[in-house]
Amino acid sequence: MAADEKKKAPEAGAVKTGGKAAAKPGTVKAKAAPAKRAPGTARKKETKPPAEAAPVEEIPVEAAPAEPELPTPRRSVAFIGSECYPFVKTGGLGDVMYALPRALVKQNCDVKVILPRYKCIPWEYQEKMVYRGAFQMDLCADGRSFYVGIMEYIRDGVVYDFIDNEEFFGWGNPYTNLVDDIPKYCYFAKAALAALNYMDWIPNIIHCHDWQAALVPVYLRTLFDATKLASARTVLTIHNLRFQGVYNIPTIRYWSGLPDYVFNKDALTVNWVDANMLKGGLTYTNAITTVSPSYAGEIQTPEYGESLDAHLRYHSGKLRGIVNGIDCDIWNPLTDRSLAFNYDASNALERKKENKRALQQELGLEADDGKFVIGLISRLTDQKGLDLVNAILPAVVDGNTQVVILGTGDARYEDSFRWYENAYRGSVCSCIMYDEARSHRIYAGADALLVPSRFEPCGLTQLNAMRYGTVPIVRETGGLRDTVEPYNMFTDTGCGFTFDRYDAGLLLDAINRAKTLYFESRPYWDGMVLRDMARDVSWDVSARQYRELYLQLT
Ligand code: ADP
Ligand code: GLC
């Protein structure tokens, strides 16, 4: 079959559905505009004139801080990804999909986030969604047609458009197994583009996240090539290279309906027989980012490259790392409603002790704020270095130390941590669950947080920890290396304890160094707590870097 012939394949979905009367391209921009105002300042003064006719000159003009100048020019960005806090979150991707668009709004970007409308999204959000329209879209190689609904929800200047389809998203969890997930995310990638065309919202940039959205650039440059949307430039962010969306070629060819010529070794094909959705996206996208500079380098090596290192080296000219931040409004110990005691740097040392006692009580640990409490908040998978933790736990729990684990995942880790809780009752607590509020209380009440990952693209838990004055103990890999400066006892600088090789003995050594400082040189430890809290872990700097990238591309 001639490749050129195939290239001319009709743009399914997009063409079929374009130009409906319901499209209101202006709406989005109008909603995003209020972000220009500095929160809680000038508006109050405008809308509440003084009761009595006070002389104009007495109005304290200087009291109203100048509105921050938004950088120009404005850019429009469509974020496409498979999860987003607070609707659905299984890990850091959900945090980033929430926080980065908000930070970009402050950088004068007009942001729309496109997500699947999973059944598990809490009703409090479902009921606020507004119907934007619906159409039928061709998907599979045999032209099977599927319903695409668009439900919209706007919050803080960010527009969220949920792709609605019972057949694909009617399950409880976002991810089930590849047999179901491959068709689901083929559908999602194509439906996201078709929805943009349907709404006639043509962004400057389409920013896709992980394998679940990786077919977006492939669709854009093939089946959507003749639509208005093709003027958009694409960015594909790798949050975790371990997950790539790999399945046999016939299945992905059937479900995606993509032309034959994309199934070649430079695009989707791997090992002659399989198709790799992430690899295809990396080929067709205009820019690739990953979530820390160190990880951007690591994934070009066989050790961390997850079999795509050669492909990434080939595309290294368009690859760069931009480190994640966290949303400092959600992660703010002064206003965090989940905490027993709120605090900031002025009273952190005292209040953290009170939070520690509250946490010990909540978890059935011996209530004693003199104990060194180590937290671990994590998906319980091989990535997170839990075999190292398992190997050394008995040596860590020495009578003066307590360990709190919060996580779910592989049965072998869930079981071993349950076993440890039973063996060291009062000193170890294993919460095998996903609990957002409890995670906040652990960040606040623990002294140190463990992140001994085998690999870590960025990692957010160490950032949350520092924001809450909890000292990270991390392995020097990926984003952990880029965000945790090791403590130097000679200069009294740094913000955490680190170790390099993936080795249980080195992890134990790092924990012991932390304990030594905590028990023997408390003023230095306290200094580090305050340094951590003062660190800028916000999105500000990184959002500017994304904005620069968008400008370079357009
Ligand atoms: P990853 O995305 O690889 O899971 P990150 O460190 O980037 O790791 O992000 C993990 C996010 O998920 C953090 O916000 C962390 O607080 C949260 N988290 C992980 N496990 C749990 C859990 N069991 N309960 C609550 N929050 C959790
Ligand atoms: C991934 C990575 C994690 C990163 C997160 C958000 O899940 O494992 O390191 O922080 O994505 O980018």
Side-chain angles (χ1 to χ4, degrees), residues 111-271:
V111 193
K112 216 182 225 312
V113 181
I114 304 191
L115 300 162
R117 185 193 183 187
Y118 302 110
K119 207 170 198 158
C120 61
I121 294 175
W123 180 242
E124 58 172 306
Y125 303 113
Q126 301 260 13
E127 67 174 353
K128 290 188 193 122
M129 294 178 189
V130 177
Y131 175 78
R132 274 295 302 262
F135 53 89
Q136 289 293 125
M137 177 185 79
D138 295 345
L139 179 66
C140 307
D142 57 7
R144 247 169 94 184
S145 169
F146 288 87
Y147 170 86
V148 180
I150 308 171
M151 302 295 289
E152 193 162 277
Y153 174 73
I154 301 177
R155 183 168 155 169
D156 301 333
V158 180
V159 180
Y160 299 90
D161 280 319
F162 293 87
I163 303 295
D164 188 23
N165 180 298
E166 266 290 304
E167 206 171 321
F168 290 112
F169 306 133
W171 297 87
N173 288 323
Y175 317 120
T176 41
N177 54 68
L178 276 186
V179 176
D180 295 323
D181 288 352
I182 294 283
K184 185 193 298 181
Y185 292 112
C186 288
Y187 164 84
F188 174 60
K190 190 171 184 190
L193 290 178
L196 287 172
N197 261 336
Y198 174 86
M199 293 185 282
D200 200 18
W201 198 79
I202 310 301
N204 302 120
I205 297 285
I206 300 179
H207 191 156
C208 321
H209 299 265
D210 272 353
W211 78 266
Q212 295 91 344
L215 283 191
V216 168
V218 188
Y219 278 121
L220 189 67
R221 302 295 169 224
T222 54
L223 303 186
F224 287 73
D225 206 22
T227 70
K228 279 203 263 175
L229 211 49
S231 64
R233 312 285 284 167
T234 55
V235 177
L236 175 55
T237 295
I238 303 171
H239 293 265
N240 195 332
L241 191 60
R242 175 140 299 177
F243 307 105
Q244 302 177 358
V246 181
Y247 217 74
N248 63 57
I249 291 175
T251 302
I252 293 190
R253 191 187 344 228
Y254 172 74
W255 277 104
S256 68
L258 281 165
D260 285 348
Y261 63 83
V262 305
F263 295 91
N264 72 72
K265 71 174 177 42
D266 295 323
L268 269 90
T269 301
V270 286
N271 309 328

Side-chain angles (χ1 to χ4, degrees), residues 10-30:
E11 317 89 27
V15 163
K16 207 170 168 182
T17 58
K20 292 251 171 121
K24 281 185 206 136
T27 333
V28 176
K29 283 208 168 93

Side-chain angles (χ1 to χ4, degrees), residues 288-318:
I288 306 169
T289 67
T290 187
V291 288
S292 69
S294 284
Y295 194 60
E298 287 170 352
I299 54 178
Q300 297 178 52
T301 67
E303 188 184 351
Y304 291 94
E306 306 282 350
S307 311
L308 286 187
D309 48 298
H311 192 65
L312 286 161
R313 283 197 300 278
Y314 182 78
H315 288 286
S316 61
K318 59 177 182 181

Side-chain angles (χ1 to χ4, degrees), residues 89 91-92 95 377-379 383-384 406-407 433-436 439 443 456 459-461 464:
K89 166 180 161 184
D95 289 314
I377 301 171
S378 179
R379 288 184 292 115
Q383 175 189 342
K384 301 293 179 177
L406 174 66
M433 59 177 73
Y434 189 93
D435 187 333
E436 195 77 32
S439 78
Y443 288 120
E456 197 60 77
L460 299 175
T461 58
N464 298 340

